[in-house]
């Protein structure tokens, strides 16, 4: 099948983060098995979501992983001009939720499988598809835990997040924290008889603002924009009406950390703010940092036709692969600026370029 046809099939599965992806994985597993790939499906602890790991070639020989995720963010924005889960063509654009982030890369890899399977590969090609990447790379952690049982220690991993097919050597890490304050409701005319949860949360919010400002003069890495780790309060909620004392308030706060800085440690001072606030870690993943002279950087440059980019500020599962001992780099089709927006798209040329990159990758292993 052509990559565009496969992309059309993948987009049609509404695999929104946090929901079942079984039907999509049924399709992918059937397709891969039909071309002789060794397929393992790894159901996550949620029970309705799974990772998939497939190998073309001998799994006992060290090879390379092509990694992508199959979940997408919700598509409820009013700016869509058609059904987000029906791939729509507008000139050279292929429009649909996940077309760019990142079912386009998944489709390119799958489209190349028949030719990869016919190549005399000296090292195997592994395909890793994970779930709930959009919720902090949750699914791939379970795949990585099983990796030693699935194949010989990999030589490297290419994560196909949108980068314009330009290899990316480094990205920031991330941690997300939820803070919850609990109070006692009542009539606003008698605040002395209640306990205002929003007021209780306010010191932590103020501390987060101060922390964000202090990071500007903290450790720096000139490869990034901004060059320092960052903190931001993403959401704040609480209260029912102006004349009711709010009995609950919460805030979700994230840190983006440069390599060498633990994103959880960036947010750690907020856990020390007094006031009886409950804290819950929502997600975290480490930064990525691949040396520019690593053989994987040279390989990615060769097959993509682009010199590596030093760094980007968004994050991927590449940091987790690296943490697991697998050298990793980011290189995929499309522009990350199109992701998570209405009318998300990938062009046919970008999809064709990604498919050719995967085939060039296979040829390099022969």
């Amino acid at each position: 099948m052509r990559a565009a046809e496969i992309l059309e099939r993948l987009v049609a599965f509404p695999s929104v983060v946090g929901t079942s992806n079984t039907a999509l994985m049924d399709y992918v597993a059937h397709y891969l098995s039909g071309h002789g790939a060794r397929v393992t499906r790894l159901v996550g602890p949620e029970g309705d979501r799974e990772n998939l790991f497939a190998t073309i070639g001998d799994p006992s020989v060290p090879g390379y992983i092509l990694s992508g995720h199959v979940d997408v963010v919700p598509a409820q924005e009013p700016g869509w001009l058609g059904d987000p889960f029906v791939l729509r063509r507008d000139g050279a654009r292929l429009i649909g939720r996940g077309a760019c982030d990142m079912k386009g890369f998944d489709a390119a890899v799958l489209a190349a499988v028949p030719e990869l399977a016919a190549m005399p590969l000296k090292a195997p090609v592994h395909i890793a598809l994970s779930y709930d990447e959009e919720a902090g790379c949750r699914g791939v952690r379970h795949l990585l835990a099983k990796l030693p049982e699935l194949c010989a220690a990999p030589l490297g991993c290419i994560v196909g997040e949108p980068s314009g097919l330009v290899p990316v050597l480094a990205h920031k890490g991330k941690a997300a924290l939820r803070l919850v304050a609990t109070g006692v409701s009542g009539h606003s005319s008698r605040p002395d008889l209640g306990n205002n949860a929003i007021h209780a949360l306010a010191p932590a919010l103020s501390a987060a603002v101060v922390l964000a400002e202090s990071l500007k003069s903290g450790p720096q890495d000139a490869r990034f924009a901004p060059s320092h780790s960052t903190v931001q309060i993403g959401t704040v909620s609480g209260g029912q009406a102006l004349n009711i004392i709010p009995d609950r308030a919460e805030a979700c706060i994230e840190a983006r950390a440069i390599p060498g800085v633990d994103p959880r440690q960036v947010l750690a001072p907020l856990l020390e703010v007094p006031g009886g606030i409950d804290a819950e870690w929502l997600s975290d993943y480490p930064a990525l940092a691949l040396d520019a002279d690593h053989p994987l950087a040279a390989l990615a440059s060769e097959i993509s036709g682009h010199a590596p980019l030093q760094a980007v500020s968004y994050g991927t599962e590449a940091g987790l692969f690296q943490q697991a001992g697998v050298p990793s780099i980011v290189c995929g089709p499309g522009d990350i600026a199109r992701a998570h927006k209405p009318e998300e798209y990938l062009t046919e040329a970008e999809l064709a370029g990604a498919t050719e990159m995967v085939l060039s990758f296979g040829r390099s292993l022969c």
Side-chain angles (χ1 to χ4, degrees):
M1 296 177 68
R2 291 175 59 248
E5 295 173 306
I6 296 176
L7 179 57
E8 184 173 22
R9 295 291 300 273
L10 294 178
V11 168
F13 294 103
S15 51
V16 173
V17 57
T19 67
S20 175
N21 66 3
T22 302
L24 184 154
M25 291 304 202
D26 284 343
Y27 163 71
V28 173
H30 178 76
Y31 174 87
L32 289 170
S33 297
H35 291 289
R38 184 191 303 256
V39 178
T40 302
R41 298 172 71 171
L42 303 162
V43 178
E46 301 84 359
D48 64 345
R49 274 154 274 174
E50 59 187 84
N51 299 301
L52 182 148
F53 190 84
T55 298
I56 301 169
D58 184 352
S60 68
V61 175
Y64 289 89
I65 298 173
L66 299 174
S67 176
H69 64 84
V70 298
D71 61 303
V72 298
V73 295
Q76 300 172 342
E77 312 98 318
W80 288 96
L81 301 180
D83 187 335
F85 297 106
V86 175
L87 192 70
R88 181 162 40 90
R89 289 169 172 80
D90 181 5
R93 294 184 177 190
L94 302 171
I95 302 168
R97 174 56 85 217
C100 183
D101 183 18
M102 59 179 297
K103 290 180 175 179
F105 177 75
D106 299 340
V109 172
L110 294 176
V113 164
E115 291 187 54
L116 291 175
M119 292 179 183
L121 299 173
K122 295 178 181 177
V125 174
H126 307 294
I127 299 169
L129 299 179
S130 61
Y131 70 88
D132 285 5
E133 186 271 350
E134 300 289 4
C137 302
R138 290 179 181 171
V140 74
R141 300 170 193 269
H142 306 297
L143 186 153
L144 288 170
K146 295 287 187 181
L147 196 59
E149 303 170 24
L150 299 170
C151 64
L155 299 171
C157 174
I158 298 174
V159 175
E161 283 284 347
S163 69
L165 290 183
V166 176
V168 176
L169 299 174
H171 66 60
K172 290 184 176 182
K174 176 184 174 180
L177 181 66
R178 177 186 286 127
L179 299 179
V180 178
T182 303
V184 177
S185 65
H187 197 284
S188 63
S189 66
R190 290 299 308 270
D192 55 311
L193 299 179
N195 183 14
N196 191 307
I198 295 177
H199 291 187
L201 188 62
L205 299 180
S206 296
V209 174
V210 172
L211 177 59
E213 186 65 25
S214 71
L215 290 170
K216 294 178 181 178
S217 58
Q220 305 286 315
D221 189 327
R223 294 175 297 176
F224 294 93
S227 60
H228 51 82
S229 300
T230 60
V231 163
Q232 82 137 5
I233 303 168
T235 64
V236 178
S237 63
Q240 303 175 58
L242 184 58
N243 60 353
I244 300 175
I245 299 169
D247 61 358
R248 188 180 188 280
E250 74 167 53
C252 292
I253 304 171
E254 72 163 25
R256 302 272 179 167
I258 60 176
V261 176
D262 183 341
R264 281 202 180 207
Q265 286 302 310
V266 173
L267 293 176
L270 302 183
L271 303 178
E272 305 301 322
V273 176
I277 296 173
D278 295 323
E280 175 191 2
W281 290 106
L282 299 176
S283 64
D284 68 281
Y285 55 77
L288 169 71
L290 183 73
D291 290 338
D293 59 356
H294 193 281
L296 180 61
L299 174 60
S301 180
E302 177 187 345
I303 65 175
S304 68
H306 297 285
L309 179 67
Q310 285 295 311
V312 294
S313 292
Y314 62 83
T316 76
E317 70 265 29
L320 288 165
F321 275 98
Q322 177 184 261
Q323 188 179 68
V326 182
S328 300
I329 198 165
V330 177
C331 189
D335 185 339
I336 195 68
R338 302 178 204 152
H340 303 189
K341 292 182 179 179
E343 298 294 279
E344 176 184 350
Y345 73 91
L346 194 70
T347 69
E348 291 189 352
E350 290 169 334
L351 186 58
T355 306
E356 179 53 37
M357 184 187 76
V358 175
L359 291 173
S360 178
F361 169 67
R363 289 190 288 268
S364 74
L365 302 180
C366 294

